Amino acid sequence: MLREPALLASEARDGEAQPAWSERRPGGPKRTSGDGAWAAPSPQLTFYFLPNSRPVTIPESAASSVTESIAMRIEPSDSRRGFLAKVAAVACGGIATLAPVAAGVWAFLDPLRRKGAAAAFLPVTDLAAIPDDGVPRQFAVIADRVDAWTGFPREPIGAVYLRRDKGSREVEALTATCPHAGCFIELEGTRCFRCPCHNSTFTLDGGIVQPSPSPRPMDALECRVGENGEVAVKWENFRTGIAAKEASI
Amino acid sequence: MSQPSDGRGGPLRRLADFLDDRTGWRGLVHEALYERVPGGARWRYVWGSTLVFAFMTQVITGLFLWASYSASAQTAWESVWYIQHEMSGGWLLRGIHHFMAQAMVVLLALHLLQVVIDGAYKAPREVNFWLGLVLMMLVLGMALTGYLLPWDQKGYWATRVATNLAGIVPVIGPSLQKLVVGGPDYGHQTLTRFFALHAGFLPATLVLFLVVHLALFRKHGLHARQPITRPDGMFWPDQLLKDVVAMLAVMAVVLGVILVPAARTMLAGGEVDWGHAGAELGAPADPSQPYAAARPEWYFLFLFQFLKVFEGWGATGEFLGAILVPGLIMGVMFLMPILGNWKLGHRFNVAFTLGIMAGVAVLTGLALDEDYYSLWADKAKVAEAAKLFDETGGDEAKLLAAVGGDQAKAAAIAGQFHTVEKIRRSEAFLAAVKTARADAARAAELAGRPERIPPGGALELVRRDPLSQGPRLFAQHCASCHAHVDPAAPEAATILAKSSAANLHAFGTAAWMKGLLDPDQVAGPAYFGNTAHKDGDMVSFVQNDLQDADSWKPADIEAVIAAMAAEAGHGDPQAPAATVARGRELVASDERCGSCHRFRDNGTDLGTACDLTGWGGREWLVGIIADPTHERFYGDTNDRMPSFGKAAEGSVPRLTNEQIGLIADWLRGEW
Ligand code: FES
């Protein structure tokens, strides 16, 4: 415990002058530096010579050589008043420091209240651009994007693979984002999909090829084909690394 | 350290004992807290601690600001706007950082004053005094560099001035300036460098010096105010309590500056726009836009005013005012501890410091007085002088004539001209501040639209905003002839009398058209009165033909007005479609307007009068501004209007198509 030197003065040994801010350390096991041996217990006195306040510790036996002249006047401490002062000091200091910290944390937490764009159908291409050979083709998804203060009008925001079977008007859409940890899945020739990061492999319709680091098949996206063959995909991001396909927030 | 570590006590206590045994933290804390305060705790000792507190506040808020700030010419203003207007609590964070910086400058002055008056700089504390002076310069350096970071007009222009002053340092000046600015021009590199200085080099150096400053302070102990009459106290808790109360007071003032205006709005029942609470954010920096409201931050205002003392001295004056004199003052301050050994030295030091502070106060006062003079000037007293000043332009001979040769009166009036000019300058400054505020608010509003700021930055947004650019372009290119004033405004008559072309306020509306077709107005200053068309066919038509109630019934005129307003896109949606249709018929008819004017497909040849097809619409306006001599408009009867969009081979037109569009949009009230 820290103790006020003024109180410690009362521990002075009878008949010995002791500076007001000294303290007595009864002998006890104390690790000395270096070899790790325990020093022999010997009572010690620590002096705080002021204005140079570096503590000086001397064996108690040498204390008598410290002259009376070092003893200086010190305001008698009323412990109750002192206690109140301490409480007040800590409280005021806390409040004063709280303002900048609170303002900083408040602003720092701002991203928590921001949400990604809601899933929406975005026009991607038209039917004619997707050969009906069952092989996926990669298309960019274009949309207006807002990044904090900047608005990017009509910018590629991601990629999808679109595929359709012979003679079909139905289009299957797979997001290029790997369900494992979010890398960009590539098409390996016309045989399969492979993620370059940890080699998850998927069939052309997005099915998982075991063994696989990916916990689930590629994420399919809702896809609409309009009257005039315009293909729109419901663009969505999903949480990665889990078996369930859940929209990320 | 005072208690036996006998392995007893609660787990917390045992952990504390364990740590103390290995680190000796109790001793360190003890050493930090049990500093003796000779003569007891005093309020006058709090300044150093409040400065440390202010600095810590700046570090904390600065780091959090850093988390969202982006230093580049296209993102600095934008990210600060985002912090201020979009992020929760961003305004508070920025407000604290902004105003605490100002508080720090005040605290520095108080600390310095206390140290000098108490003679705390004397032996053996000389080195610590010097360290303090270095710290002061570092803090001022941080204030200066921080001012630029939002990259708004205010910071941009103030920094240009400051760095140009650096450029006049003999020999190394130009290189120094280039290094600070990061190249020959202000831009990305200026921001990245200033940011590195502001958040890296300067604070790191400051911390280094601060540690030594504090260590030396503890080594020498507190310099007590003499004579010591009271018993000694302890730093903890006596002095610390006072320190902490002072810190709290400083923080309360800073928070007050931020929150009081908002609280007032709330109390008045208004809604607080938190984005505009706290620190100001000007319009984005624009090197192509004059900024008459440019002033340094208030604590550098004295230097700004001091430079005016040397006005007319050229670069020598600037060198004297901005570098030599401040340098000499700093030099004397560095010598203070040595001077202090001399018998009268201390008195000199105190007098010198007080003198400098008084000088700073006076110069700041003068600067403020010049800028805000018109707010407290007794304008009634100089009303006559002001009028004569406007009439004579300050010319003495003209003045003498104006007062009828009365020498004494002329002299008295001329004596007041100085005051009149001062009021005028102050009014111009206040107007510039007002414009700057409006521009700032508009820029923030534009940035806040859902489409956000274009990748090219907010300046792009501002530059293509008709509301803020329209009036500027109009003032620059059109206002020398055209008025743009609401005819109902009290000052309208004076403004119209000075104009030499039509008043374009509300051009294209029914009200404007109504005035044109009014025989009393058509030849007046708001229409053709001050132009070559004063005696033209249109004036004669309105004053004669249109007055023939048999051929032009009032309802016909109303119909024409409605049709023309509709043509300009300013039609009254409530107007009956039949009226508008009737109006169009009249306009097109070759017995009415159509006898001179082409209107849609009425077949009238161009060249006699302007084409009324799409009259007052955007395309029509852009066309006439670009080239009024085109046969669609005035052809060869064009009075004096320049073709703003046309240029001789190989040169550039006065206005780009985009600028002409901005003027047209602004005139049409579309933004
Ligand atoms: S991210 Fe695709 S396999 Fe790991």
Side-chain angles (χ1 to χ4, degrees):
Chain A
M1 266 306 280
L2 286 167
R3 299 170 70 181
E4 263 182 70
L7 298 180
L8 289 163
S10 63
E11 286 176 14
R13 303 216 323 249
D14 287 344
E16 257 181 68
Q18 220 173 332
W21 40 87
S22 71
E23 56 188 39
R24 187 165 180 272
R25 173 189 283 277
K30 182 168 164 55
R31 201 197 289 272
T32 58
S33 59
D35 57 6
W38 296 100
S42 100
Q44 290 187 321
L45 275 175
T46 299
F47 291 90
Y48 292 89
F49 292 102
L50 286 165
N52 181 350
S53 64
R54 186 154 292 283
V56 174
T57 305
I58 55 169
E60 205 172 40
S61 52
S64 54
S65 63
V66 179
T67 62
E68 223 169 303
S69 63
I70 326 173
M72 291 185 227
R73 298 165 307 152
I74 192 143
E75 205 171 347
S77 180
D78 170 343
S79 66
R80 216 165 89 94
R81 203 189 60 85
F83 177 73
L84 284 180
K86 285 175 186 174
V87 170
V90 169
C92 290
I95 296 169
T97 321
L98 188 70
V101 172
V105 171
W106 188 13
F108 192 77
L109 295 181
D110 177 80
L112 293 182
R113 54 182 204 107
R114 312 227 161 239
K115 292 200 179 71
F121 276 98
L122 300 171
V124 172
T125 181
D126 51 45
L127 213 50
I130 314 166
D132 57 351
D133 54 6
V135 179
R137 301 292 194 290
Q138 186 191 321
F139 292 88
V141 177
I142 312 271
D144 293 346
R145 184 171 73 91
V146 168
D147 177 2
W149 54 83
T150 310
F152 296 94
R154 299 201 41 76
E155 212 199 30
I157 57 165
V160 286
Y161 288 104
L162 301 180
R163 186 182 81 98
R164 70 181 168 125
D165 290 326
K166 193 94 213 140
S168 164
R169 266 183 68 84
E170 228 145 85
V171 176
E172 272 174 39
L174 295 167
T175 174
T177 311
C178 181
H180 177 228
C183 284
F184 194 113
I185 300 172
E186 286 170 2
L187 195 57
E188 206 167 74
T190 55
R191 290 183 302 118
C192 63
F193 287 109
R194 189 187 300 279
C195 178
C197 291
H198 316 94
N199 284 326
S200 285
T201 312
F202 306 93
T203 55
L204 287 184
D205 58 1
I208 197 160
V209 177
Q210 294 293 6
S212 172
S214 175
R216 62 172 191 261
M218 280 172 76
D219 295 317
L221 298 172
E222 256 182 84
C223 189
R224 276 203 299 236
V225 180
E227 296 254 311
N228 306 317
E230 64 277 18
V231 178
V233 165
K234 186 171 176 190
W235 180 250
E236 242 179 314
N237 285 312
F238 302 98
R239 286 178 58 188
T240 55
I242 54 172
K245 179 179 165 190
E246 268 175 36
S248 74
I249 36 138
Chain B
M1 129 170 249
S2 55
Q3 289 295 296
S5 331
D6 53 7
R8 277 183 285 133
L12 257 185
R13 168 72 154 281
R14 292 224 304 276
L15 178 68
D17 285 345
F18 170 86
L19 286 176
D20 184 41
D21 212 18
R22 272 76 183 167
T23 63
W25 67 271
R26 281 185 180 129
L28 292 175
V29 174
H30 199 282
E31 198 184 336
L33 291 179
Y34 293 111
E35 165 86 1
R36 196 167 132 261
V37 182
R42 280 172 183 270
W43 286 107
R44 64 190 302 127
Y45 303 148
V46 303
W47 304 119
S49 301
T50 52
L51 270 170
V52 173
F53 169 71
F55 178 65
M56 286 319 296
T57 305
Q58 294 306 77
V59 170
I60 294 168
T61 49
L63 283 172
F64 279 112
L65 283 168
W66 190 345
S68 295
Y69 175 72
S70 172
S72 86
Q74 262 97 56
T75 58
W77 185 91
E78 293 72 6
S79 58
V80 175
W81 168 82
Y82 190 73
I83 294 171
Q84 179 75 23
H85 288 268
E86 288 289 306
M87 289 177 70
S88 51
W91 56 272
L92 181 62
L93 180 62
R94 206 177 144 243
I96 295 177
H97 196 71
H98 180 83
F99 290 111
M100 191 55 92
Q102 309 191 5
M104 226 170 150
V105 176
V106 176
L107 293 172
L108 266 179
L110 290 170
H111 187 44
L112 177 70
L113 207 57
Q114 179 252 327
V115 164
V116 174
I117 290 179
D118 287 359
Y121 59 85
K122 288 189 208 163
R125 298 183 174 83
E126 301 99 317
V127 175
N128 222 17
F129 181 74
W130 292 328
L131 289 173
L133 290 180
V134 173
L135 284 168
M136 179 171 88
M137 290 195 285
L138 287 169
V139 170
L140 292 179
M142 287 174 72
L144 196 80
T145 46
Y147 203 50
L148 173 79
L149 297 182
W151 202 243
D152 59 357
Q153 285 280 67
K154 188 164 70 128
Y156 177 80
W157 291 102
T159 306
R160 272 184 87 123
V161 175
T163 49
N164 278 323
L165 288 179
I168 59 174
V169 175
V171 190
I172 56 160
S175 310
L176 184 70
Q177 183 180 1
K178 231 181 204 177
L179 281 178
V180 173
V181 169
D185 271 318
Y186 298 80
H188 295 319
Q189 281 287 312
T190 322
L191 276 165
T192 47
R193 280 175 175 247
F194 268 61
F195 188 42
L197 281 173
H198 181 77
F201 293 111
L202 293 175
T205 318
L206 194 145
V207 166
L208 226 72
F209 276 84
L210 186 60
V211 167
V212 183
H213 191 64
L214 291 178
L216 280 184
F217 165 68
R218 292 319 277 263
K219 178 178 167 61
H220 298 309
L222 191 138
H223 179 275
R225 172 95 177 140
Q226 302 294 339
I228 294 177
T229 51
R230 292 184 298 153
D232 293 355
M234 269 291 157
F235 178 66
W236 166 253
D238 310 330
Q239 184 61 44
L240 192 66
L241 179 60
K242 287 194 162 61
D243 288 358
V244 155
V245 168
M247 294 172 193
L248 193 59
V250 170
M251 186 48 88
V253 170
V254 167
L255 289 177
V257 173
I258 301 168
L259 296 173
V260 165
R264 275 205 177 135
T265 315
M266 270 178 177
L267 286 178
E271 185 139 354
V272 179
D273 178 355
W274 292 108
H276 288 285
E280 232 183 359
L281 174 63
D286 185 350
S288 70
Q289 201 65 250
Y291 187 68
R295 290 290 180 274
E297 195 64 300
W298 62 264
Y299 42 80
F300 285 129
L301 216 47
F302 75 95
L303 207 53
F304 171 82
Q305 187 70 16
F306 187 58
L307 282 177
K308 289 191 189 167
V309 176
F310 301 95
E311 241 166 39
W313 292 37
T316 334
E318 285 183 343
F319 175 69
L320 281 177
I323 295 167
L324 195 66
V325 176
L328 285 177
I329 291 174
M330 278 316 289
V332 173
M333 300 194 73
F334 269 92
L335 289 179
M336 274 187 183
I338 294 165
L339 293 175
N341 292 331
W342 174 44
K343 217 174 156 200
L344 286 173
H346 177 61
R347 292 208 185 145
F348 167 79
N349 288 340
V350 173
F352 183 78
T353 310
L354 288 174
I356 294 290
M357 298 229 170
V360 166
V362 168
L363 284 170
T364 309
L366 282 176
L368 292 174
D369 182 54
E370 276 191 23
D371 284 346
Y372 296 91
Y373 186 61
S374 93
L375 295 183
W376 49 73
D378 185 356
K379 288 186 202 157
K381 224 174 96 189
V382 292
E384 198 189 350
K387 210 175 129 238
L388 286 166
F389 183 80
D390 289 341
E391 285 168 18
T392 63
D395 187 271
E396 294 204 7
K398 281 190 197 161
L399 172 64
L400 195 58
V403 293
D406 183 344
Q407 292 274 4
K409 190 169 178 200
I413 296 278
Q416 292 183 338
F417 276 1
H418 173 70
T419 313
V420 173
E421 276 181 283
K422 196 172 163 188
I423 294 178
R424 290 290 145 84
R425 272 200 306 271
S426 157
E427 279 170 350
F429 170 77
L430 293 175
V433 169
K434 212 171 143 197
T435 313
R437 293 236 168 92
D439 285 346
R442 178 64 177 168
E445 184 192 332
L446 289 171
R449 290 182 172 176
E451 58 272 29
R452 287 287 189 258
I453 303 166
L459 193 54
E460 244 178 46
L461 205 57
V462 170
R463 282 192 179 149
R464 56 179 199 227
D465 171 39
L467 180 61
S468 42
Q469 298 310 309
R472 286 197 165 87
L473 292 166
F474 187 87
Q476 238 176 310
H477 299 281
C478 321
S480 57
C481 299
H482 288 284
H484 188 277
V485 61
D486 184 349
E491 71 279 10
T494 348
I495 296 175
L496 287 175
K498 282 190 205 156
S499 71
S500 60
N503 179 10
L504 296 181
H505 182 264
F507 179 76
T509 62
W512 194 92
M513 195 31 107
K514 198 169 177 176
L516 178 72
L517 300 183
D518 176 349
D520 297 330
Q521 287 191 50
V522 66
Y527 294 92
F528 293 122
N530 296 335
T531 73
H533 305 289
K534 188 177 174 196
D535 307 311
D537 296 341
M538 185 68 190
V539 171
S540 129
F541 165 77
V542 171
Q543 290 182 337
N544 304 313
D545 307 29
L546 213 54
Q547 301 317 308
D548 177 5
D550 288 341
S551 50
W552 282 97
K553 298 184 188 63
D556 289 347
I557 299 178
E558 288 300 317
V560 167
I561 291 171
M564 293 315 290
E567 201 66 10
H570 292 305
D572 175 3
Q574 243 85 80
T579 313
V580 176
R582 164 87 184 128
R584 286 198 179 122
E585 241 170 66
L586 289 165
V587 174
S589 157
D590 57 7
E591 281 163 13
R592 311 272 184 152
C593 312
S595 67
C596 300
H597 291 282
R598 148 103 49 111
F599 183 70
R600 301 192 175 183
D601 45 8
N602 68 351
T604 308
D605 284 339
L606 287 175
T608 5
C610 60
D611 183 359
L612 294 183
T613 315
W615 174 84
R618 186 178 199 274
E619 197 273 331
W620 191 92
L621 272 169
V622 167
I624 194 169
I625 298 170
D627 184 12
T629 64
H630 190 276
E631 57 171 5
R632 268 181 75 198
F633 306 104
Y634 288 109
D636 42 19
T637 66
N638 179 44
D639 186 359
R640 289 146 295 160
M641 179 155 162
S643 299
F644 288 99
K646 257 190 13 184
E649 275 273 316
S651 87
V652 222
R654 294 200 204 187
L655 290 172
T656 64
N657 281 340
E658 204 189 355
Q659 288 174 313
I660 294 174
L662 286 170
I663 298 177
D665 285 337
W666 176 67
L667 286 174
R668 293 174 45 71
E670 274 169 2
W671 47 72

